[in-house]
Amino acid sequence: MARVKISEWKAKQILLGEGYNGVQIRLGKKQALSASKKWVVKVDQGIKKRFKQGLVKVGVSAGEAVTATKEWEKKGFTQFIAEPVFQHENNEEQYLSLERVRDGVRLLYTKDGGVNIEEHPDKVQMLVLSTPESILSAETQTGLPHGFLVSLVEKFEKSFMTFLEINPLVVRENGVALLDAACLVDSAGAYFTREWSEDDVVKSKAKHDVEKHVEDLAATTPASLKLSVLNPDGALFLLLSGGGGSIVIADEAQALGAGKLLGNYGEYSGGPTREETYLYTKEVLALMLDSKAKKKALVIAGGVANFTDIKSTFAGVIDALSESAEKLRKQGIKVFVRRGGPNEAAGLAHMRTFLEKENLLGSIYSSVDPITAAMRDAIHFIK
Amino acid sequence: MSLIEQIRKNNNGIVVAGNHPAILQSILDFDFLSGETEPSVKVCLIANRSTLKLFFGTKEVLIPCVKDMAAALIVAPEAQWLLNLQSGRRVFETTNLFFQLFPKALGAHVFAENVPEKHATDLIALWGDKKIIAGPSGVGILVSGVLKLGASGGVGLAQIAQGKLTQKGSLAVVSTSGGVTNELIVATAHSGKGTSFSLSIGGDRFPITSLSRVLELAQEDSQTKAVVYFGELGGVDEYEIADLVRTKKLTKPVLAYVAGTIDEAFEERMQFGHAKALVARNDESARAKRDALHAVGVIAPETFPEFLEAMKSLPGEVLEDVSASITPLMNRAKSILSTREIVDLESTPEYVSGKKLAKSQSYAFARATLSALLGRDVSDVTAAFTESILTQLIDHGGHVSGAVNTMVTARAGKDLVSSLVAGLLTVGPRFGGAINESARTWLRGVAAGKDAKTFVEEETRAGRLILGIGHRKYRVGVPDPRVEELSRFASLLKKHPHYDFARAVEKIMTGKQGTLILNVDGAIASLTLDILTECEGLTHRELTSLIDAEFFNALFVIPRSIGFIAHFMEQKQNDEGLFRLPDELLFVHSDKKQKKRK
């Protein structure tokens, strides 16, 4: 979903095509660098402020470049970019970015490189490109070389980019050089373009196992399944439904001073099946059972669903709960529920019967009660 | 008149692209409970099926399904709305085509969550100013008691009642989140004020109809007394509200909840459920946006329970509890096989009354037959024409393959049903089955609007036989008396385009060869099409579906079964034993073979 980063190497390959002389280096794959050149080598995983973190080496030999990547690999990085050094003066550095906005593509440009553009809006030219004419006129206004902007915007559109930042950009009579580039693409465009693939999307953050499992599961269903681990030793674990409703419920924890006690955030929506809900719930329960918090509560909550069937999704939740019922009881965990939607009465009745039988019941609320009711009770329980 | 008021006065016909049975059923339930006499869903774009069976009230109805938008235009030219339930991959193409083909349409809902940003901005550029388009993503548009375009307000019967969706309330519900839209609709019902209309703008980065436009709609709508808004962290939409309020373009009270203060609990900015729900800059945080709304006088409570409480103090009359009862619709069971009664089992026709024959209706059997086949009572002309066909087609001599088969089977000692079936099994492209295909030919020719000459040329070039043309015995100058008789029915009609077309084709064909005349199959097919169009008001689509259901074949099979039974009975009564073809009819004997035998 949404905007995702692709590697700098891939972005430049799209923009420069055949003429691009950068090399991608990946963990475990040998890549020969020419010994006669000096190189710039960088970690290429969408990380900001690489220079400050020591993730860039400039003007190194091929051998030194390889040594540098080996060092970074030890820190857990897996993907790098190497380019021949491009000699230039600091005052040649310019800034350019493109971003998709409601009425076209927004261009930000300044000849003064190195300025923090957010702090110096007066130095930055802002133009919205929506028609071929507006691109040509932008070329005149910025003084960028003839044809450069046309070709850049064409590639931006064709490859479903949503954000592209070139900083620094060096413009000379015989052409332009893109020294550093950051690029976001629209993941929904993957079907329509051959310019990049899932493989080029960078994964900057090492993920928790549970997050990986949910991501894999989400890739196989039209329903929406999301999970982020916030605090592995948290006290409140969430099984929430609905993109908006889940935030409202999490907000209630923050309002009652329990924001930091959340073990996870996530949501399932869009009508997952019983089986999908079962697999998703299993992941949340595994995370919860591993938490070292003394008193823990599970919050199963959501708004009044539009079309997600409460009876069948709750059947999936119950399948997973009953597998771990013994362990949940031993840890003194209670379950707090608030939900509404199609087949609400039947779903909630099953849940109540099950939780009572297993001695796991905290409280149960339906669509006539506030969406935040279960979270409120759960916080009282753990405090 | 404001747009929402216009929608309240409209016939809001919906074209659906894609299939989501629960959502479609909920729309029909909403229509029925709102007192509509027919479903707002007029046609569905679904490949590989011709109808979708849904309940309208307690009755089952069949919603026509078509393959493409051009066909949808023929079925529902007056449609005003598109409900696009397709995947994000197809959204742009279908939505754009809909608005091109239906220029008078008011708007659409795009349900998919994974629509590329570029496609959304392209739709904004093409249609954003002219139409109301809810989405991408979200649950669509609800105008209480009038229009339900999408899952808005839920899909269960109990939800329609609980949210008071059929009653015209006074609060406009505007939300980025589909799920919370429903939560708010239920809350407006609890507060007693109910929802006037709701538009879920969706959690995508570029909603096609913008938040500002939706708020304008709320401001213009006299039924709406206040706005209830739900937003999330990420994006800067709430500043649009603040601007509208500050510049007095929005003067109705606004109650807003901006969710996402939980983000303050984490060190890193987190991506929440919706695409836009990520704080990229400080002014996109929930708190900053709440503060901005506060500053201009919007009611923007700190917690959701306070937000619900504040709803009670908004203006708007409390609705009387008169929502339609859903009880009669509960426990509906879908029919598994049949959707209608073929004959009315309750009523028995009366033939004897007061020791006398009752006065009988003319063409009674033809009428009963058509009523069973078509599910409707027919006019006199249709009944008479059918009677004429049924009578003429009972038999055409013992030479034809079906009659031969029946007789041979009967002579082999088999029973009535076996012999009849043996005869019927020969009905097909070469024997008897031509009426159906001939009807398809005439229907296609007339619908294409081509002249007969071009049509014949095209068919010939494509190597297709024109069924309904040609006879073994009759020719120009020696007309088929059955065709002569049937043709008189044309004089009873105001217009007979299919018959005229068939005659025009005949004229071209007989120019080549005298035997290529309009035969009885072709005459029956063309006249039946004209009679069903003029006397029964059937549409092109209904005629196509009758051809697909082999109605025209039935017009042959029914009377000819009588003929076959007659042949069977004759054989049984004569009882001549097993039939065997004499040698001389079976083989062309060579001299050598004949010698051997001797």
Side-chain angles (χ1 to χ4, degrees):
Chain A
M1 57 145 265
R3 296 181 170 186
V4 291
K5 280 178 189 162
I6 58 170
S7 67
E8 180 178 356
W9 178 80
K10 175 51 76 175
K12 287 181 172 173
Q13 201 192 39
I14 294 171
L15 298 173
L16 301 171
E18 294 287 303
Y20 180 49
N21 57 7
V23 178
Q24 183 171 50
I25 303 168
R26 282 182 158 178
L27 180 65
K29 280 187 191 152
K30 289 227 164 136
Q31 194 49 274
L33 296 180
S34 158
S36 62
K37 287 180 185 156
K38 287 288 180 192
W39 295 89
V40 178
V41 60
K42 305 180 269 194
V43 171
D44 188 7
Q45 289 178 252
I47 296 164
K48 285 183 178 171
K49 304 201 172 96
R50 285 179 292 191
F51 226 97
K52 280 185 187 161
Q53 297 184 55
L55 303 178
V56 180
K57 298 267 182 207
V58 182
V60 294
S61 70
E64 287 165 338
V66 173
T67 315
T69 61
K70 289 276 183 301
E71 284 300 313
W72 291 329
E73 280 174 10
K74 282 182 198 154
K75 291 182 183 168
F77 295 105
T78 55
Q79 185 166 278
F80 316 95
I81 175 175
E83 292 171 336
V85 169
F86 181 83
Q87 295 296 346
H88 68 283
E89 301 300 323
N90 276 351
N91 64 10
E92 282 185 280
E93 295 188 349
Q94 305 187 354
Y95 173 95
L96 181 149
S97 75
L98 296 177
E99 183 174 5
R100 178 168 300 288
V101 293
R102 197 172 168 84
D103 36 12
V105 175
R106 183 177 63 201
L107 166 74
L108 297 183
Y109 174 70
T110 168
K111 284 198 163 50
D112 281 327
V115 294
N116 187 339
I117 64 146
E118 278 175 20
E119 285 167 20
H120 298 277
D122 49 312
K123 296 199 170 179
V124 179
Q125 274 182 289
M126 193 194 88
L127 299 161
V128 174
L129 317 175
S130 52
T131 58
E133 297 77 45
S134 63
I135 300 173
L136 290 176
S137 121
E139 226 166 56
T140 326
Q141 289 181 57
T142 54
L144 282 162
H146 183 63
F148 170 67
L149 211 48
V150 174
S151 144
L152 197 67
V153 173
E154 187 190 307
K155 280 164 179 156
F156 184 91
E157 294 276 15
K158 209 176 133 199
S159 48
F160 285 79
M161 291 183 185
T162 56
F163 178 75
L164 172 69
E165 185 179 62
I166 303 169
N167 184 23
L169 168 79
V170 173
V171 179
R172 289 186 183 161
E173 270 180 26
N174 55 355
V176 294
L178 323 178
L179 299 190
D180 261 323
C183 179
L184 299 179
V185 295
D186 182 354
S187 63
Y191 174 77
F192 297 94
T193 181
R194 299 287 165 270
E195 301 289 329
W196 50 267
S197 70
E198 193 51 42
D199 187 47
D200 300 306
V201 174
V202 297
K203 285 118 194 148
S204 52
K205 201 174 109 193
K207 293 228 154 147
H208 195 284
D209 273 354
V210 164
E211 291 172 332
K212 270 188 231 153
H213 294 165
V214 171
E215 231 172 57
D216 292 346
L217 180 62
T220 63
T221 162
S224 165
L225 302 170
K226 285 163 192 150
L227 184 87
S228 311
V229 177
L230 301 175
N231 174 3
D233 290 323
L236 291 163
F237 286 82
L238 312 181
L239 202 59
L240 305 183
S241 351
S246 61
I247 309 183
V248 172
I249 295 160
D251 273 2
E252 182 73 355
Q254 178 71 357
L256 297 177
K260 301 237 185 266
L261 301 177
L262 296 183
N264 70 310
Y265 169 79
E267 55 109 6
Y268 65 94
S269 59
T273 63
R274 174 176 181 164
E275 290 70 25
E276 287 157 4
T277 318
Y278 159 75
L279 292 168
Y280 179 82
T281 307
K282 244 172 77 162
E283 297 300 332
V284 175
L285 293 182
L287 194 65
M288 179 174 198
L289 288 167
D290 279 350
S291 161
K292 296 189 187 72
K294 283 211 176 98
K295 214 167 177 196
K296 293 185 272 190
L298 177 65
V299 179
I300 303 175
V304 184
N306 286 289
F307 55 89
T308 296
D309 187 286
I310 307 307
K311 192 173 146 195
S312 69
T313 49
F314 269 18
V317 173
I318 291 172
D319 289 345
L321 282 172
S322 63
E323 268 182 16
S324 308
E326 183 66 40
K327 288 183 200 158
L328 293 167
R329 231 181 351 261
K330 269 194 185 153
Q331 295 198 4
I333 290 167
K334 294 286 180 199
V335 181
F336 300 83
V337 183
R338 192 278 182 178
R339 191 71 166 123
N343 283 321
E344 159 186 332
L348 290 171
H350 282 178
M351 185 60 87
R352 176 179 291 281
T353 314
F354 169 79
L355 293 176
E356 275 172 353
K357 189 187 83 193
E358 298 289 346
N359 196 22
L360 292 171
L361 181 65
S363 55
I364 290 197
Y365 296 99
S366 73
S367 60
V368 300
D369 307 297
I371 185 171
T372 47
M375 178 59 95
R376 182 196 61 209
D377 285 7
I379 291 170
H380 287 311
F381 172 73
I382 56 154
K383 277 198 167 170
Chain B
M1 188 170 31
S2 78
L3 183 76
I4 300 291
E5 281 154 6
Q6 199 185 329
I7 294 171
R8 291 204 184 93
K9 296 223 159 91
N10 236 354
N11 275 325
N12 293 291
I14 300 173
V15 174
V16 177
N19 191 4
H20 196 305
I23 291 179
L24 298 186
Q25 183 59 64
S26 79
I27 294 174
L28 265 66
D29 288 340
F30 170 85
D31 293 341
F32 181 80
L33 292 169
S34 298
E36 296 294 331
T37 50
E38 55 180 76
S40 57
V41 175
K42 301 298 178 199
V43 59
C44 295
L45 267 73
I46 306 174
N48 301 328
R49 58 190 299 182
S50 56
T51 60
L52 198 62
K53 193 163 74 177
L54 294 170
F55 283 106
F56 186 64
T58 52
K59 247 177 46 193
E60 285 184 311
V61 291
L62 298 173
I63 306 290
C65 298
V66 295
K67 269 190 278 197
D68 54 41
M69 201 56 88
L73 182 62
I74 294 170
V75 179
E78 303 294 324
Q80 302 258 296
W81 298 96
L82 169 69
L83 174 58
N84 195 335
L85 301 171
Q86 294 175 320
S87 82
R89 294 173 181 185
R90 301 178 64 190
V91 157
F92 175 78
E93 204 185 320
T94 314
T95 308
N96 190 34
L97 187 60
F98 171 77
F99 286 121
Q100 283 173 357
L101 294 181
F102 292 77
K104 285 190 205 144
L106 293 177
H109 166 44
V110 170
F111 183 58
E113 289 204 353
N114 54 343
V115 177
E117 289 181 16
K118 182 172 161 45
H119 292 179
T121 53
D122 285 352
L123 285 173
I124 290 170
L126 288 163
W127 306 105
D129 294 342
K130 303 173 198 108
K131 311 289 178 187
I132 292 297
I133 305 175
S137 89
V139 289
I141 302 171
L142 173 79
V143 180
S144 296
V146 175
L147 172 70
K148 185 177 192 300
L149 190 72
S152 192
V155 299
L157 277 165
Q159 293 184 286
I160 294 175
Q162 189 188 17
K164 299 194 172 162
L165 306 190
T166 61
Q167 284 180 270
K168 295 184 175 103
S170 45
L171 304 180
V173 169
V174 185
S175 163
T176 51
S177 157
V180 177
T181 300
N182 200 18
E183 189 74 29
L184 296 187
I185 289 172
V186 171
T188 64
H190 279 210
S191 79
K193 279 147 199 160
T195 296
S196 55
F197 78 97
S198 162
L199 198 149
S200 149
I201 58 178
D204 267 24
R205 196 171 288 264
F206 302 117
I208 300 172
T209 290
S210 68
L211 175 60
S212 302
R213 178 76 184 106
V214 180
L215 294 171
E216 267 173 46
L217 293 177
Q219 177 71 22
E220 289 162 8
D221 175 33
S222 57
Q223 176 85 32
T224 298
K225 304 296 178 221
V227 177
V228 176
Y229 172 78
F230 175 87
E232 296 168 1
L233 73 172
V236 291
D237 291 346
E238 288 73 9
Y239 296 98
E240 290 181 26
I241 307 181
D243 280 346
L244 289 173
V245 174
R246 193 181 308 112
T247 55
K248 304 261 190 293
K249 285 181 186 143
L250 178 59
T251 56
K252 293 179 180 174
V254 180
L255 169 63
Y257 183 77
V258 185
T261 46
I262 183 63
D263 202 38
E264 295 165 7
F266 319 132
E267 280 152 31
E268 251 186 84
R269 297 302 195 189
M270 194 167 72
Q271 171 79 57
F272 286 82
H274 294 128
K276 200 164 61 178
L278 170 74
V279 176
R281 294 195 307 267
N282 285 336
D283 63 347
E284 294 184 4
S285 76
R287 186 153 314 275
K289 297 201 284 186
R290 277 184 201 175
D291 292 346
L293 290 173
H294 259 304
V296 294
V298 169
I299 316 160
E302 280 296 299
T303 70
F304 201 76
E306 285 166 32
F307 170 73
L308 293 179
E309 193 57 34
M311 205 177 284
K312 292 181 187 151
S313 58
L314 290 176
E317 279 174 38
V318 173
L319 291 174
E320 278 175 59
D321 209 358
V322 292
S323 28
S325 168
I326 57 167
T327 320
L329 308 190
M330 306 294 272
N331 304 317
R332 290 177 298 199
K334 266 197 168 169
S335 61
I336 296 172
L337 260 179
S338 180
T339 49
R340 66 179 173 95
E341 282 189 85
I342 299 300
V343 296
D344 184 357
L345 299 174
E346 303 293 306
S347 79
T348 312
E350 191 183 59
Y351 286 93
V352 181
S353 129
K355 295 191 176 181
K356 272 187 187 163
L357 277 179
K359 203 177 174 194
S360 68
Q361 212 189 6
S362 49
Y363 322 119
F365 186 72
R367 254 179 225 289
T369 304
L370 288 178
S371 152
L373 298 182
L374 301 177
R376 60 163 80 198
D377 291 331
V378 297
S379 67
D380 283 347
V381 173
T382 312
F385 182 71
T386 308
E387 176 111 346
S388 145
I389 298 172
L390 294 182
T391 314
Q392 290 195 43
L393 293 184
I394 287 177
D395 192 46
H396 203 225
H399 326 72
V400 298
S401 49
V404 171
N405 252 22
T406 304
M407 292 190 282
V408 171
T409 311
R411 292 273 292 271
K414 301 287 288 200
D415 57 299
L416 168 73
V417 172
S418 306
S419 306
L420 172 62
V421 166
L424 288 175
L425 286 175
T426 64
V427 178
R430 293 181 178 171
F431 170 61
I435 304 178
N436 215 66
E437 287 320 298
S438 175
R440 202 184 291 282
T441 305
W442 305 143
L443 190 68
R444 184 157 51 86
V446 171
K450 291 185 180 127
D451 65 275
K453 191 153 186 273
T454 319
F455 184 77
V456 169
E457 271 170 21
E458 282 176 7
E459 294 295 293
T460 317
R461 208 175 306 128
R464 282 194 287 265
L465 262 177
I466 300 180
L467 290 169
I469 292 287
H471 201 276
R472 278 177 176 278
K473 214 168 86 183
Y474 303 115
R475 66 182 320 286
V476 179
V478 192
D480 183 337
R482 298 174 301 172
V483 174
E484 294 287 283
E485 175 57 33
L486 288 168
S487 297
R488 293 198 187 104
F489 276 91
S491 67
L492 302 178
L493 300 174
K494 286 194 203 99
K495 285 198 298 187
H496 31 78
H498 298 96
Y499 175 70
D500 292 344
F501 186 76
R503 283 296 188 192
V505 168
E506 176 187 44
K507 203 170 166 199
I508 309 286
M509 300 296 283
T510 50
K512 291 189 225 166
Q513 199 184 331
T515 55
L516 293 178
I517 52 166
L518 182 64
N519 63 28
V520 73
D521 296 337
I524 290 174
S526 62
L527 284 160
T528 308
L529 289 170
D530 286 331
I531 288 171
L532 290 178
T533 304
E534 185 167 317
C535 305
E536 309 307 326
L538 294 196
T539 62
H540 179 270
R541 184 188 157 79
E542 287 169 317
L543 292 171
T544 308
S545 109
L546 280 184
I547 294 171
D548 290 342
E550 295 191 63
F551 167 77
F552 294 78
N553 253 349
L555 294 180
F556 175 80
V557 169
I558 294 164
R560 192 53 61 93
S561 295
I562 299 172
F564 291 164
I565 292 169
H567 283 295
F568 167 82
M569 289 176 63
E570 193 216 356
Q571 293 305 317
K572 284 292 168 181
Q573 285 160 342
N574 294 355
D575 198 18
E576 289 182 81
L578 189 63
F579 176 79
R580 194 187 149 86
L581 276 181
D583 272 3
E584 57 270 30
L585 282 183
L586 201 54
F587 305 115
V588 178
H589 292 291
S590 72
D591 292 347
K592 200 176 163 189
K593 260 190 180 167
Q594 284 189 342
K595 267 179 208 161
K596 234 182 186 175
R597 272 214 180 162
K598 281 172 192 169

